[in-house]
Structures are given as structure tokens and as C-alpha cells.
Amino acid sequence: MIKVNNITKTYGDLTAVDNISFEVPQGEICGYLGPNGAGKTTTVKILTGMTLADSGHASIGEYDIAENSIAAKKQIGYVPESGALYESLTPYEYLTFVGELYHMAPNKIDTKIEDLTEFMGLEDVLHKQMTDFSKGMKQKVLIISAVIHNPEVIFLDEPLNGLDANAALLLKKLLHNLTQTGKTILYCSHVMEVVENLCSRIVIINEGQIIADDLVKNIKANNQEASLEDVFNKLTDTEDKNKKAEAFSKVITE
Amino acid sequence: MIAKLCQALNIDYIQLKTLIKNHLRIDLRQHKGIGRNTTTKIPPLIYSGIFYFFMSLMVSISLLQYANIFLFEFVIFSYAMVMSLFTILLEFGNTIITPEDNGILGFRPINSRTYFTSKLINLFIFNTFLTFALGLIPAIFGIFIQGGDWSFPIVFFPFLLLATTVSAAIVVLIYTGLLKILSYKKFKDILAGIQIIFVFVIFFSYQFVPRMVNKHSFSSVELDNSWLNLAPPIWFSGAVEFIRGDVTGRNSLFLIATLVFSVILAVFAFRKISIEYTQNISSLQEHSGQDQSKNRKESQRETNLLFSIFKSEELSAGFKLTTSMMKRSRELKMTIYGMMGIPLAYLGILIYDNSIADPFTQATPESQFWPGIMNKLVLVFLSLMVTLIYHNMFFSKRWKAAWIFHSSPVEEPGKLLQGVKLAVVLKAFIPFTFLFCIIYGTQIPLSHAIQASAMFLIIGLVLLSGVSIFTKSFPFSKIKKPGSKTRRLLYFLIMPFFLLIFAPVLQFGFSNTNNYIITMLGLFALFLILESIAVKKTSKNLRLN
């Protein structure tokens, strides 16, 4: 469903993504991991049509994202890490706006907003401007806006940001159910525990290059580590964390 | 029918409607910033409307007794077109270029042309409101001008709307054209330059047009100059006269030129610009920050020096933040230099009028009272600029970062704001005073120019401290809405009437050297008192906030 072929993207002297390729078949939830600045968000921006790759191809379903971007974009939902939304609108106005952009019928938009906001516990603030919302409340609105139009492919960039434990659990269950209905999900995160529990397969990117792409159990076995966190640390950072933490706390308490 | 037209133009009608509705809702809705006193009560757009209403009233009055209908139309069209350019450059640039939209809409299935059209229509709605404010008085005055009658407003107003729309379209083309060929950094730099020039041109022309009319008593014969036929405002004037029944060959040519020009602009915008528009917008966000390490040492020296003088970390913090923002925020630079453009344009007008006189000789008993006073009040009027620059230090696109002031243990917020004022004075006002002194020095003896500039500086400090007493926000904690810059221009036009209070002080100060010294010391003492009140009052205001 998601295909990435030899994609490269540079910003000035910085190569954010360097000739990467991977695929995510329909109905799979794939974890996309990497340290800060590794190239995760750039990859997702290319796949969602927000920016163009310098070279290579990416497609969603049968549509090439650069050549047939509108058709490809109709297939996707996206929760950006930036959490950007129009805060001076109310959740109802924002979600109606999103629904209309996907040509949904007005009564269907209303029904979906009502149901989805109730699931997320937002029904009491549905008609309040989002300027005073907590990060978690805005994140819930973003999650609803990513799925309201029933997309085939969902990109989630740190979707648990700001969510409380109950909402996070609800989202994880929801994602599991969605994959069973045939939705394809690319899940970007730093939280290894969640990725390990949620995703059967992971792709790890570091300094713009893919350094691992396999089932979670295979990656752990190949690297002879017990947890995904240890594997991630081994592959992306060779520093001794204990020593570093010790030095850091010394600076703070000086 | 509109849906079919949209379909033919590859515009998604449903998306277009929802985008327009959404953008208007966002632009017009009251904004809540960080803190208690940051809610905007009156939409700044209303201030723009009031400002343009008064400006057009002044221009119309100045034309009433001198002009015939054709000249009247020509001046009003020129004025309205330039004002429209100015407004969009200064206030509504964000209506056309909104890089932030890419993060929210970039992954939605909206084609470039639909998005571009929604932006254009949004701009058109603002432009229509402002054209109404600009055109209402001239439309009525036109009935009473030589050659005018009751049909004038009916014909004039649609053409005025077309003229300002053409102006707006030219800005859009400049913006989007630059966007296509330049990097983000260069684009912003060039835009800053254009804005500063326009502020200068607008203020200069607003003063200059009535003077030209008064001095030369223009007639329509002078408008027959062939070079003038190339100026779009004269085409619109000819088109209005043609429709009103003056069917001459020249007017019919002007009507054709108007229509052809408008159509070419519309077609060009659609065929060339709209297709690549979203891609160009998304590229605006693809830039990396500059390495500022080389400026670190200089900045550190400055801060250490300040701390050794004022012994306040809060003052140093306010100063450092403000100077950094003044150096790096293009939005702020555009506003500051724009604000400096107004007094410079005003000085240009005074030189043109031969009105800059030596304030010392003008204060002798035999000199006339009013010309002497007005000449000196220029010092007060121009020094208002420093208060406007200070006012700008409370707005930022990154206003949300102001949470830091509310969560930090800031004991004396007034000191923090003192740092902001110090940065404004050292980095903007003193350099401007130096420039002011040089310009003055070309007109009056240098020693007098230096003394007048010193008086200008001290008056600016008094005004700044006085205005800062009423500060109720932390720096860079509010968001700017369209129209807020014009609101400050309105303040610039109204405030001088309140500043007549300085007249006796200045008359006394420039009467001889001893009185000058006494006045300077008196003003300096007033500045220290006001500053002390400001620190206490703002600390109280912001602690409660």
C-alpha cells in the first residue's frame, strides 16, 4: 500500500533522507523509528505530499504521490508531530472544515463528529475555541481529523503526544482494530515500548539511511538484545548513557 | 453556474467555499493571546477602515475647490490604487502567503488552483471593505465637483473596486513571482525592502498630492501629457467618463486599456501562478536556521556592560531578547524600518516645502508664534515613532513562547520591560536621531541641529516612558491581526493634537541657551520620574497578569 523507492531529499548541505526504500503492505501497522533529526518526519512529509523528494518515487496504493498527488492524498490521513491546527476554530468547525475538504455529506460529517468526539471525550468542548485547549485535547482533535474521512492509509507522527493513559490505550486499541479492517498504518515514534507492542514490523532510520527493516522479533534476535529499546540504542547511539547522565546531573547541580 | 465555471477552471467548488469560509472565520475572529489583557476587542480591520475613511476625506477636501471631475477621478484612482498596494503589502501579505497553512492543509487533497483562488477571494473581500472606506467620501464629493452629477457614484464605485483589485492583483503577482524565483531568505529580505519603500512613498504621496494640487492648480489640460497616458489610474478615470456619457476617442481607448489590462492580469495569475502555488508555499518552510555563533561574543560583551551599569538580570534579559528579535525577526525589522520611513518621508516633505527652520531663531520675540511652534512640534511628532516601535515589541508570530514569562519567577517585570525600552532606544531610536541630526544639519547650523536632535531624543524618551506606563503585556506575547499596523498609523495621525501640550515648553526651551539647558534638564527629570512610575506600574500590572 505504501511504497518508497530510492527517495532522497536534501535541505541545503543537509541530506535529510538518503536513497531510502521500503514498503508497507495493506493491513499492516509498521513502526518507523529513528533518533531526533534522523529523517522520519521528512519521509512522512514526502509520503503525504507536503514536500517533494529530490529523486526517487513514493506511492500510496496505485497513485504516485508526486504525479497524482490529489488522488493519493484522498487515500491518506495524517496526525502531524507539529500538532498544527487552526486554534481559533472550535473542534466542530475544524472537523466540519476537514470533512468538507473531503466532500463528505453534511449530515455524515455531523454524525461522525458527534460519535468520534464522544469516543474521545470531547463532547463538552465541541463548540469552544481551541486556543485554550490542552495539548492532549488538541491531539484528540487531530486524531479525529485524520480518520474522519475513512482513509485507507494513516500516518501517525508521535500520536500519543499529550494524551493521558486512558486516551493512549484507546488509541492503541483503535489502531489495532483499524489494521484488522484493512487499513495501513505507518507509526513514527520514539516510545519503543508502544512500538514494540503495537507493530509487527519496524523500519529504523538513522542519519537519513535505513539501518534496519524487519519483524520486531527478528531484529531483536539479530542484535542479541532483549528489548527494542536496547536494539535502538545499539544501532543509533554508541555512547555510555550512565556516564553521560552522571555528567549531565553534575552540570545541573553545580 | 458558479460550480460549472469552477469546474471549467479546475477549481473544486466545495473545497473553495469551505476554504474561504474558514479563512475569513480565522482572520476575523477575536484572538486570545497569553495573559489577561491580550484579547483584541475591536478587529484591527475596523481601524483600517476608519484610517482610510479619514485619509480619503482629507484628500477629497483638498481637491474639492481646485479640481474638475477628470482630475478628481485621476487623483482618487491613483491614491486608492497606491493605498491598496500599501495595505496588502503591509497588512494582508499573510492573506496571500501563509507558510503555516502547509502544516495543516499540505496533506489534504486540495489542488493548487483551488487553494490559490480561495486566497485571492479572501483578499478580494478585505479589499472590497477597504475600497468602500476609501471610496465612500470621494463618491459623494464627486457629485458636487465641476462636471460631476448624481450618476457619478454609481459609475465611479465599481471602477474604483476594479482599480483596487488590479492593484491587489499586482501585489499578488509580485509576491508569487518572487516566491517562485527566490530562496526564502532572499524573498523575505526583498519583501522587507519593498515594504519600507512603500511606507515612505505612501506617507510622502499623502502629503505631496494636496501640495501639488495647491501649488500648481492642476487642470485636465496638464493630464494630456503623453507619459501620463501610460498610468493605469488615468485609464480608469477615462473609463468612468466614457460610461458617464463623455464618449471621446481618448476615453474609449482608456476604457479598452482598463478592460484589457484587468483581463491580462487575471489570466496571467490563473495560468501561470496558480498551478505551482502550493508547491512554492511548501518550499517556504524548507529552510535551515543560520549559525549565530559568531555574534555570541559581541552580544555577551553588551550584556555584561549593561549588567555592570544597571545591576538587573531582568533588564539584561529583556534587552537581550529584544535585540535578538530585532536582528533576526524579519517581521519585526519590516515594521521598525517601516515606522522609521514615516518620519523620514515627513522630513522630505518639510525640505520640499522649505519648512525646516532653525528652532532657535524661530523662537525670538519678533518671530510669528504659530509657524515657530509648528516647526518645533515636528520634533515631538517625529519622536512619536519611538513609541510605535516599542509597541511593536509585544507582537510575534511565536507569541506562544511567552509562557516562559508566566512560569518564571520574574520579580520585577517592569525591569524586564525597561530592557525592552533600552533595546529600542539604543538599537533604533539613537541611530535614527543621528540620521535626523544629519538631515537637520543640511538645513540649519550644525550646532543648532545637534541641540535640536538632543531635544528630539529627550522628548522621545519622555514619550516612551509615558506610554510604557500603560503596558499590560510581556514582550512578544501577542499575535498581530490584519489591520493592526494601520491602527498605529491612525494613532500617528491623531496623537499630534494631544502633543500641543509641549508647545510652551519648546517655545521656552529654544528662546536662548540658558533656557535650553533648563528645559533639557527638566525633560530629563520628567523622563526619570515617568520611568520610575512605569517600572512600578508595569510590575504591578504584569504580576497580576
Side-chain angles (χ1 to χ4, degrees), chain B residues 377-397:
Chain B
L377 276 179
V378 166
L379 299 178
V380 185
F381 175 61
L382 298 187
S383 60
L384 265 180
M385 175 259 302
V386 69
T387 64
L388 287 172
I389 293 176
Y390 170 70
H391 182 73
N392 271 286
M393 298 303 158
F394 296 88
F395 296 93
S396 172
K397 278 185 180 171

Side-chain angles (χ1 to χ4, degrees), chain B residues 129-414:
Chain B
F129 173 78
L130 294 175
T131 304
F132 192 76
L134 266 169
L136 185 66
I137 292 289
I140 296 167
F141 273 44
I143 300 171
F144 306 103
I145 277 184
Q146 185 197 340
D149 58 29
W150 60 268
S151 70
F152 178 78
I154 301 163
V155 182
F156 167 76
F157 204 81
F159 275 97
L160 186 70
L161 188 58
L162 182 63
T164 54
T165 307
V166 162
S167 258
I170 290 170
V171 180
V172 172
L173 289 178
I174 293 170
Y175 265 40
T176 46
L178 285 175
L179 199 62
K180 203 175 159 185
I181 54 172
L182 295 172
S183 68
Y184 179 78
K185 188 178 174 295
K186 276 191 181 155
F187 171 74
K188 286 289 201 180
D189 283 341
I190 288 182
L191 217 56
I194 293 175
Q195 291 201 0
I196 294 159
I197 291 165
F198 259 88
V199 171
F200 187 88
V201 167
I202 287 301
F203 218 77
F204 193 79
S205 60
Y206 146 66
Q207 295 283 339
F208 195 72
V209 169
R211 278 171 170 76
M212 289 294 283
V213 172
N214 286 341
K215 274 193 174 179
H216 303 293
S217 298
F218 270 160
S219 69
S220 59
V221 178
E222 285 176 81
L223 294 178
D224 287 340
N225 288 340
S226 55
W227 63 268
L228 216 51
N229 291 337
L230 297 173
I234 211 162
W235 308 344
F236 287 96
S237 311
V240 170
E241 285 313 295
F242 182 89
I243 303 287
R244 287 184 65 234
D246 188 6
V247 186
T248 62
R250 191 168 176 239
N251 282 347
S252 52
L253 275 176
F254 285 149
L255 177 66
I256 291 165
T258 300
L259 297 176
V260 168
F261 186 58
S262 308
V263 169
I264 286 174
L265 265 181
V267 170
F268 186 78
F270 255 86
R271 289 187 71 88
K272 292 281 179 193
I273 304 289
S274 65
I275 296 166
E276 295 157 347
Y277 185 63
T278 47
Q279 194 50 48
N280 292 330
I281 293 285
S282 80
S283 71
L284 280 185
Q285 291 201 313
E286 294 173 7
H287 64 285
S288 51
Q290 283 180 303
D291 185 4
Q292 299 291 341
S293 53
K294 63 179 177 187
N295 298 325
R296 198 175 139 245
K297 276 187 185 166
E298 190 194 331
S299 160
Q300 196 56 46
R301 269 200 300 272
E302 216 168 47
T303 313
N304 290 345
L305 181 68
L306 276 176
F307 187 72
S308 63
I309 298 170
F310 294 101
K311 308 281 183 216
S312 165
E313 290 90 347
E314 284 158 352
L315 185 144
S316 299
F319 177 82
K320 219 169 162 180
L321 174 70
T322 311
T323 47
S324 302
M325 292 292 273
M326 285 166 86
K327 266 184 211 160
R328 288 170 209 164
S329 161
R330 283 194 181 78
E331 191 195 12
L332 199 57
K333 277 198 267 189
M334 276 188 244
T335 317
I336 291 172
Y337 296 132
M339 285 300 158
M340 288 179 175
I342 296 173
L344 284 177
Y346 204 84
L347 278 177
I349 290 290
L350 291 176
I351 291 170
Y352 172 81
D353 277 354
N354 285 325
S355 302
I356 292 186
D358 190 338
F360 284 95
T361 56
Q362 289 268 329
T364 54
E366 59 274 14
S367 68
Q368 286 184 304
F369 182 76
W370 275 111
I373 283 298
M374 292 319 286
N375 187 268
K376 283 181 277 296
L377 276 179
V378 166
L379 299 178
V380 185
F381 175 61
L382 298 187
S383 60
L384 265 180
M385 175 259 302
V386 69
T387 64
L388 287 172
I389 293 176
Y390 170 70
H391 182 73
N392 271 286
M393 298 303 158
F394 296 88
F395 296 93
S396 172
K397 278 185 180 171
R398 305 276 171 257
W399 60 275
K400 281 184 183 172
W403 64 267
I404 191 79
F405 299 118
H406 296 268
S407 66
S408 308
V410 184
E411 281 181 20
E412 284 246 60

Side-chain angles (χ1 to χ4, degrees), chain B residues 92-112:
Chain B
F92 298 99
N94 286 347
T95 310
I96 290 297
I97 310 250
T98 324
E100 296 77 17
D101 271 356
N102 189 46
I104 303 172
L105 300 174
F107 55 92
R108 309 277 181 203
I110 306 165
N111 74 36
S112 185

Side-chain angles (χ1 to χ4, degrees), chain A residues 9 11 48 50-52 70 73 78 86-89 93-94 97 100-103 129 132 145, chain B residues 12 15 18 21-22 25-26 29 32 101-102 104-111 279 282 286 400:
Chain A
K9 176 75 183 175
Y11 298 113
T48 53
M50 293 172 75
T51 192
L52 287 176
I70 300 297
K73 284 175 177 180
Y78 176 38
Y86 296 119
E87 291 178 11
S88 51
L89 300 183
E93 288 166 346
Y94 183 69
F97 166 65
E100 284 172 349
L101 290 179
Y102 290 90
H103 292 226
Q129 270 181 256
D132 292 332
S145 76
Chain B
D12 187 315
Q15 288 183 342
T18 196
K21 187 172 67 182
N22 188 55
R25 201 177 254 159
I26 291 165
R29 185 159 279 175
K32 281 175 83 181
D101 271 356
N102 189 46
I104 303 172
L105 300 174
F107 55 92
R108 309 277 181 203
I110 306 165
N111 74 36
Q279 194 50 48
S282 80
E286 294 173 7
K400 281 184 183 172

Side-chain angles (χ1 to χ4, degrees), chain B residues 456-473:
Chain B
F456 170 77
L457 182 68
I458 197 80
I459 290 169
L461 294 178
V462 168
L463 290 174
L464 180 61
S465 296
V467 165
S468 71
I469 291 172
F470 305 100
T471 306
K472 289 177 181 172
S473 315

